[in-house]
């Protein structure tokens, strides 16, 4: 069973997932967290991380398309040096993409901004595990201050028996994290 979305009279989406599909459950929770940051707190979503990934992939695909065109115009024996260069460049770009997603993205699924404040949300859900770990990070780009909070809860806390997401429960936990980070800021 795949994700289903329907609109109610309140315009809140009803998200139903197969509760035994770990990636669908994680994605539904991630989307709910992103909705809280964007809609409740009126932050603007920033797509720079995704743009970086798209740039790397775009370069790799362009190199592959150039190799295809070059091989079409100059059949194999003539195109061999160019094909070797293109294949090497393609695999180099895939290595860069792997490093980028591992060390730069680090599981971040949402980046929200307001003025000079940046909020990053990242999560993980291990295979065959029900514990959803959410990390919310606050960065002040003016002062360089960074704070983060996290929680680790069972996905059963956020879904009913039929696999319907309960967004109010997600909102409560995300709001608690958000407010605790802001409370730390006020103490300083």
């Amino acid at each position: 069973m795949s994700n289903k979305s329907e609109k109610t009279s309140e315009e809140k989406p009803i998200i139903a997932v197969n509760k035994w599909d770990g990636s669908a459950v994680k994605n539904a929770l991630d989307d709910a967290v992103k909705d809280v940051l964007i809609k409740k707190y009126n932050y603007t979503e920033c797509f720079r991380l995704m743009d970086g990934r798209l740039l790397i992939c775009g370069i790799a695909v362009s190199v592959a398309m150039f190799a295809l065109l070059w091989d079409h115009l100059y059949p194999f024996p003539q195109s061999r040096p160019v094909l070797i260069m293109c294949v090497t460049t393609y695999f180099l770009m895939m290595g860069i993409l792997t490093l980028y997603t591992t060390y730069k993205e680090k599981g971040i699924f949402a980046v929200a901004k307001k003025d000079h404040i940046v909020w990053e949300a990242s999560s993980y859900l291990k295979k065959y595990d029900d514990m959803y770990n959410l990390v919310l990070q606050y960065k002040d780009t003016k002062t360089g201050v960074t704070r983060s909070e996290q929680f680790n809860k069972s996905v059963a806390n956020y879904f009913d028996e039929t696999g319907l997401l309960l967004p109010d429960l997600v909102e409560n936990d995300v709001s608690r994290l958000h407010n605790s980070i802001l409370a730390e800021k006020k103490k300083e």
Side-chain angles (χ1 to χ4, degrees):
M1 186 189 316
S2 63
N3 291 353
K4 297 176 189 174
S5 292
E6 298 173 12
K7 296 281 183 176
T8 64
S9 60
E10 301 170 352
E11 291 300 315
K12 273 195 171 185
I14 297 174
I15 313 253
V17 297
N18 178 355
K19 62 184 180 179
W20 302 111
D21 182 359
S23 62
V25 167
K26 181 188 177 302
N27 290 337
L29 286 169
D30 289 350
D31 288 344
V33 170
K34 187 189 313 183
D35 283 347
V36 171
L37 290 175
I38 303 302
K39 293 178 181 171
K40 179 178 181 180
Y41 294 110
N42 294 322
Y43 295 134
T44 305
E45 190 169 3
C46 179
F47 297 100
R48 280 194 196 146
L49 278 176
M50 187 62 69
D51 290 346
R53 186 192 310 185
L54 288 173
L55 176 67
I56 294 167
C57 292
I59 292 170
V61 168
S62 297
V63 167
M65 294 303 293
F66 176 76
L68 181 67
L69 178 66
W70 192 266
D71 190 54
H72 179 71
L73 295 174
Y74 305 98
F76 176 65
Q78 291 177 309
S79 66
R80 184 172 182 213
V82 173
L83 290 178
I84 290 172
M85 181 193 69
C86 289
V87 167
T88 304
T89 304
Y90 181 83
F91 284 110
L92 178 67
M93 294 308 296
M94 291 299 101
I96 290 170
L97 178 65
T98 301
L99 291 173
Y100 182 82
T101 56
T102 303
Y103 295 108
K104 180 74 173 157
E105 285 186 357
K106 299 180 199 169
I108 297 171
F109 62 87
V111 178
K113 295 176 96 176
K114 192 173 210 176
D115 300 326
H116 56 88
I117 306 299
V118 177
W119 290 89
E120 292 179 348
S122 61
S123 68
Y124 63 87
L125 180 67
K126 293 180 183 174
K127 193 172 186 176
Y128 307 119
D129 194 6
D130 71 325
M131 300 307 287
Y132 178 73
N133 189 353
L134 175 69
V135 179
L136 195 58
Q137 186 172 30
Y138 164 95
K139 292 180 184 178
D140 188 334
T141 57
K142 271 189 178 175
T143 62
V145 174
T146 301
R147 289 182 205 80
S148 68
E149 290 284 334
Q150 68 179 1
F151 70 76
N152 194 14
K153 287 192 173 181
S154 173
V155 295
N157 293 329
Y158 305 112
F159 291 91
D160 67 5
E161 298 82 28
T162 62
L164 288 177
L165 178 67
L166 306 170
D168 294 336
L169 298 178
V170 176
E171 182 177 334
N172 291 340
D173 283 342
V174 173
S175 296
R176 227 177 272 125
L177 276 182
H178 182 271
N179 294 338
S180 70
I181 291 172
L182 290 180
E184 284 180 30
K185 177 186 172 197
K186 290 178 183 176
K187 288 180 186 176
E188 293 178 358

